[in-house]
Amino acid sequence: MIKRVGVRWRIVGLLAAVLVSVALPYFITRSSSEQALSSRDWVTHTADIKASIYRADAILRSSEAAVYTLAAGGTLDKDLEERALMPETRLPAILASLRETVADNPDQVARIGGLESVANGRLKLTKEALERIRAGDRAGAFAIMEDARQMFPFRERVVDILAEESKLQEERRANARGTATDNRVVLGVAALAQIALLVIVVVVSERQISIRLAAETREAEAVKRSQLIVQAVREPIVMLDGELRTLLVNAAFAELYGYDTDDEQAHMPLRSIGNGAWDDMALLQRLNDVVARDRELWDYELTQRTVDGIDRFVVINARRIALPDTDSPAVLITVSDITARALVEQKVTELNRQLEGKVEQVSDVNRELEAFSYSVSHDLRAPLRHISGFAGKLEAHLGDQADDRVRHYIDVISSSSKRMAQLIDDLLVFSRLGRGALRLQPVDMQSLVDEARALVETDARDRRIEWTIAPLPIVIGDENMLRTVWQNLLGNAVKYTANREVGRVSIDVERTSTGDYEFAVRDNGAGFDMQYASKLFGVFQRLHRASEFPGNGIGLANVRRIIARHGGRTWAEGETDRGATFHFSLPASDMPGARLGDS
């Protein structure tokens, strides 16, 4: 490999020298030739413009001379009249050609336009002078021509155009001389570069020869190290030729299959190694496909009895490789002993079978719990309805005969039965939260918070509540369950700030070092004593009397159960009469959109 790199670099150096030595002078000479042709074209261009200007000047002069001759008493004949009117017939074509020729020079275009205007003005007065001559008024014709000379002088414009072209011609000659000087400098630099590159190529070639010799030495040492590594690897490795005969065997392979590396019968057929351990027709066919069709063999599982008499579960991988010193294909085979893993998998399969039985038992228990929940819901509610109903009938039966104590007793019975019914409903909801399947999907926590906030503000219209809500992310979870979480937490925050003139509720989120989301709901309400924090999330556990703040003590228990089912945790911080903060965490999601949203 290193040898090829050295040869490649030498070729590149030689090509660079040839390119600089031949191509660069060629391009410079070509450029000089093109510039010379361009200069010649510009000289011709200027000459054509001057010739056209001289023709236009001659036409105008001839026309003027003809009219003056007639005005001085000459005979009015056809030749003199044609000469006088020559600008009308011949001058437009000359000026049009001039405009096309100098189209790249706006100043010259403007000067030619001025010359055309002067020529048109003189032509008009020339025609008037001819009319006067025909009428016999030669003095009037002479006066008109004098006016034409004063009003439409053309010689100054001709001189300006010729001067501009001469100026441009001198500039182009100066540019050509500068370009020629530059080309001579570049040719000199190119010659020096040729010499320098040739020297570099010679030096680099000599150095590459030294590097190649050192690389060959290192390559030989690397081959020895590779052989040592292959022999030291504890995974059996064998290299086969195209006929599946051994070319290279490492020590692990020889030890496992009893291959004698010192045996005179080198290059043994694979199927004769290991007392028939490799005599598997399906495997041999796969290996022949690897050789013939360059198909790789991956994780082929096989049971082999090795020379130690043990049946081993092995995984065989094989691929075709190209040898550096021959065009014949070779096959590299690695063998992985997975006997221990196979035994573990058998054990795992057995444990899974036992686990399936346990799951079925749990399913039976869950069905029994559901039946029990239905029985509780049905059997307990019926007596409660009777108690509530008969209390109402008793109150109606007594009517005005009931004193205040009797009415108090009846009210206690009615309110207690209603509270008991509510507790039963809450307990059933708590039970269902632990059994229902999660419907995981992307959930926009910002939308759930806005929805819960609107709901609690409806129940507290006459209060002033200040909200601070940070941008919240999209998470993966059960939308209905997470909606219950926010409704309980925001409902509690509003409820326990009822004694504040201005209730303040803030919602924040942070990202932990593990990528989880931690949400926090803070309020400035009644707070709680931290020594009782462990009771907050218990079923029917309350730290305040119902007369102070209504409720059944089931909401936070529902929150903890929902968050636990999502793989998160819940905790709270507070101080009596200084507000409280309720935290819960949710695992991060790698789904698109699971990020902090915009505020």
Side-chain angles (χ1 to χ4, degrees):
M1 181 62 184
I2 297 176
K3 182 178 179 180
R4 290 197 207 99
V5 172
V7 172
R8 189 181 301 117
W9 275 110
R10 286 199 299 276
I11 293 174
V12 171
L14 290 172
L15 289 177
V18 171
L19 180 63
V20 174
S21 302
V22 178
L24 187 58
Y26 165 75
F27 284 114
I28 294 174
T29 304
R30 180 178 176 181
S31 175
S32 300
S33 300
E34 291 176 351
Q35 289 169 357
L37 292 174
S38 177
S39 298
R40 184 197 65 185
D41 292 341
W42 280 114
V43 170
T44 304
H45 174 83
T46 301
D48 291 341
I49 292 173
K50 287 183 176 182
S52 298
I53 291 296
Y54 286 136
R55 285 197 298 274
D57 181 67
I59 290 170
L60 290 173
R61 288 175 182 273
S62 177
S63 173
E64 184 181 41
V67 175
Y68 274 113
T69 300
L70 292 173
T75 303
L76 182 62
D77 57 13
K78 184 177 180 181
D79 291 339
L80 287 175
E81 189 173 354
E82 286 180 352
R83 282 177 58 192
L85 295 176
M86 190 182 299
E88 182 178 18
T89 58
R90 298 179 61 182
L91 200 57
I94 294 173
L95 294 178
S97 176
L98 278 172
R99 276 196 300 271
E100 182 178 355
T101 305
V102 300
D104 60 330
N105 191 332
D107 294 337
Q108 287 292 70
V109 172
R111 292 187 183 95
I112 291 172
L115 180 60
E116 185 177 13
S117 299
V118 168
N120 291 333
R122 291 181 68 89
L123 180 62
K124 182 177 180 182
L125 293 178
T126 298
K127 290 180 178 179
E128 292 181 4
L130 289 175
E131 292 296 328
R132 293 289 183 93
I133 292 171
R134 293 189 186 97
D137 185 7
R138 295 181 182 274
F142 189 85
I144 290 174
M145 290 306 296
E146 288 298 315
D147 291 340
R149 290 183 63 186
Q150 297 296 327
M151 295 172 60
F152 302 106
F154 65 88
R155 291 179 180 83
E156 292 83 353
R157 297 186 181 275
V158 168
V159 170
D160 289 343
I161 295 173
L162 294 175
E164 178 64 18
E165 285 300 321
S166 298
K167 176 184 174 183
L168 292 175
Q169 188 173 20
E170 287 301 321
E171 291 178 354
R172 289 161 184 159
R173 286 174 179 171
N175 290 336
R177 288 193 294 271
T179 303
T181 302
D182 293 341
N183 287 339
R184 286 193 293 272
V185 172
V186 172
L187 284 173
V189 172
L192 294 176
Q194 293 170 11
I195 297 172
L197 282 174
L198 290 175
V199 171
I200 291 173
V201 169
V202 172
V203 172
V204 170
S205 298
E206 292 297 327
R207 183 178 180 185
Q208 289 298 322
I209 293 173
S210 301
I211 293 175
R212 184 186 66 183
L213 295 175
E216 290 176 351
T217 302
R218 289 195 298 270
E219 184 177 359
E221 294 175 352
V223 170
K224 293 180 180 178
R225 287 194 296 269
S226 299
Q227 292 176 349
L228 291 175
I229 293 172
V230 170
Q231 295 299 327
V233 170
R234 293 308 302 162
E235 187 174 55
I237 299 175
V238 59
M239 184 186 297
L240 309 174
D241 61 15
E243 297 179 358
L244 302 185
R245 303 173 68 89
T246 58
L247 293 175
L248 173 67
V249 172
N250 74 340
F253 186 93
E255 179 182 349
L256 185 62
Y257 295 102
Y259 183 87
D260 187 2
T261 55
D262 297 330
D263 194 345
E264 295 181 357
Q265 296 180 351
H267 309 298
M268 293 176 58
L270 180 64
R271 64 186 306 171
S272 63
I273 298 174
N275 298 328
W278 293 91
D279 192 9
D280 182 88
M281 295 306 298
L283 173 61
L284 294 175
Q285 181 60 44
R286 296 284 187 93
L287 295 177
N288 283 317
D289 287 343
V290 172
V291 175
R293 303 181 184 181
D294 197 13
R295 292 183 177 178
E296 296 186 3
L297 181 64
W298 292 105
D299 297 338
Y300 184 85
E301 296 187 3
L302 184 68
T303 302
Q304 293 180 329
R305 172 162 291 185
T306 53
V307 293
D308 53 8
I310 300 175
D311 290 333
R312 298 180 183 273
F313 297 96
V314 297
V315 172
I316 299 171
N317 292 281
R319 62 178 301 177
R320 191 171 77 177
I321 60 175
L323 297 177
D325 53 352
T326 179
D327 294 333
S328 300
V331 181
L332 182 66
I333 299 176
T334 59
V335 183
S336 300
D337 187 354
I338 61 168
T339 303
R341 190 183 76 184
L343 295 176
V344 170
E345 288 177 352
Q346 291 178 357
K347 185 64 175 178
V348 169
T349 302
E350 178 62 26
L351 291 175
N352 285 336
R353 191 179 300 110
Q354 296 177 9
L355 181 60
E356 290 174 358
K358 297 295 183 181
V359 170
E360 184 63 30
Q361 294 178 11
V362 171
S363 299
D364 293 340
V365 172
N366 283 335
R367 284 191 289 271
E368 292 175 0
L369 285 174
E370 290 177 2
F372 174 74
S373 298
Y374 176 80
S375 175
V376 168
S377 175
H378 183 271
D379 295 343
L380 291 183
R381 285 178 179 174
L384 286 175
R385 286 195 297 270
H386 293 162
I387 293 171
S388 180
F390 278 102
K393 290 182 179 181
L394 178 60
E395 184 177 13
H397 177 72
L398 293 175
D400 295 338
Q401 297 179 6
D403 56 15
D404 292 339
R405 179 173 294 182
V406 172
R407 291 192 181 92
H408 173 68
Y409 292 160
I410 294 174
D411 288 341
V412 171
I413 293 171
S414 298
S415 61
S416 297
S417 61
K418 292 178 182 178
R419 177 172 172 75
M420 184 63 183
Q422 184 63 46
L423 290 174
I424 292 173
D425 290 339
D426 292 341
L427 189 60
L428 290 175
V429 169
F430 180 77
S431 176
R432 284 194 293 271
L433 288 176
R435 297 195 311 272
L438 292 177
R439 300 177 60 186
L440 298 180
Q441 59 183 334
V443 179
D444 187 353
M445 300 296 265
Q446 197 82 46
S447 299
L448 294 187
V449 168
D450 292 342
E451 180 182 333
R453 172 185 171 181
L455 185 63
V456 298
E457 283 183 335
T458 301
D459 298 332
R461 295 194 190 99
D462 55 344
R463 292 183 51 200
R464 181 183 172 190
I465 302 174
E466 293 182 356
W467 297 87
T468 303
I469 303 176
L472 301 178
I474 295 175
V475 301
I476 300 301
D478 188 300
E479 184 174 6
N480 290 329
M481 289 189 177
L482 293 177
R483 180 180 289 109
T484 300
V485 169
W486 286 114
Q487 289 175 354
N488 277 293
L489 292 178
L490 297 191
N492 281 353
V494 171
K495 177 171 65 176
Y496 286 102
T497 58
N499 296 332
R500 299 288 186 258
E501 181 178 352
V502 177
R504 292 184 176 85
V505 180
S506 65
I507 302 170
D508 297 309
V509 63
E510 292 182 356
R511 202 75 183 266
T512 67
S513 58
T514 60
D516 294 348
Y517 292 107
E518 285 189 1
F519 300 88
V521 179
R522 295 180 176 84
D523 63 66
N524 64 336
F528 61 89
D529 192 337
M530 281 297 292
Q531 65 177 324
Y532 303 114
S534 59
K535 297 183 178 181
L536 281 173
F537 296 95
V539 180
F540 302 135
Q541 295 289 329
R542 290 178 53 82
L543 302 184
H544 301 85
R545 293 189 299 272
S547 59
E548 293 180 311
F549 301 102
N552 296 327
I554 195 71
L556 292 179
N558 289 337
V559 168
R560 169 159 286 184
R561 173 160 286 195
I562 291 171
I563 297 303
R565 294 202 62 194
H566 281 76
R569 62 190 186 95
T570 52
W571 69 99
E573 300 167 351
E575 186 176 350
T576 303
D577 204 35
R578 299 293 296 273
T581 303
F582 288 86
H583 304 266
F584 69 92
S585 66
L586 289 175
S589 169
D590 292 332
M591 290 190 64
R595 55 178 176 77
L596 290 179
D598 297 331
S599 56

